[in-house]
Structures are given as structure tokens and as C-alpha cells.
Amino acid sequence: RYKPDLGVGSTIAIAVSHNLGTEAVIVQLFDNSTKEAVYAGVTRNSVNQMTVSFATAPSSGAIRVLVQKL
């Protein structure tokens, strides 16, 4: 499992290195302040990295990304 916080602002695409060694991962996001789900595009770039993309950059604080290896 891997759970980084993404500091957002003007950025709409953020690379996340999870180093789990597989593209078979489940990804969920939520707002650290409100605890509400955040919806974003996820592109699996390799077995150890993905890119999280937002339609518009979230204006609230950090977003928590939950990544779980299947």
C-alpha cells in the first residue's frame, strides 16, 4: 500500500511514484480537509508510476491518494 498526499494548486497533472512493481493497482483520492471523494483521471505510466490528472486544479488543500496493489 502507498498513500501520499498531493499538494495541489495550479497543477492539474501530478506524477506519483508508488514503487509497487505492478500496473494492477486500485487508486482512490480524497480531500484531506473535507474527507470527500475526489475524482480524477489516472494513467498508469509504468509498473512503478502513475499520473493523476484533474479537469481543473483543486482549490482546497492536499489530496490524499490511496494506492493498493492487487
Side-chain angles (χ1 to χ4, degrees):
R1 292 180 209 169
Y2 183 69
K3 52 183 181 180
D5 290 335
L6 300 180
V8 295
S10 62
T11 304
I12 60 169
I14 301 169
V16 177
S17 296
H18 54 71
N19 298 318
L20 294 174
T22 182
E23 293 175 340
V25 294
I26 296 173
V27 181
Q28 294 182 317
L29 298 95
F30 70 88
D31 184 301
N32 271 332
S33 299
T34 65
K35 308 305 181 205
E36 292 182 11
V38 173
Y39 299 97
V42 175
T43 303
R44 289 157 177 85
N45 303 325
S46 70
V47 297
N48 291 315
Q49 186 186 59
M50 63 187 183
T51 299
V52 178
S53 302
F54 303 93
T56 57
S59 58
S60 59
I63 303 297
R64 171 71 50 97
V65 181
L66 306 174
V67 184
Q68 183 171 2
K69 181 178 177 178
L70 295 178

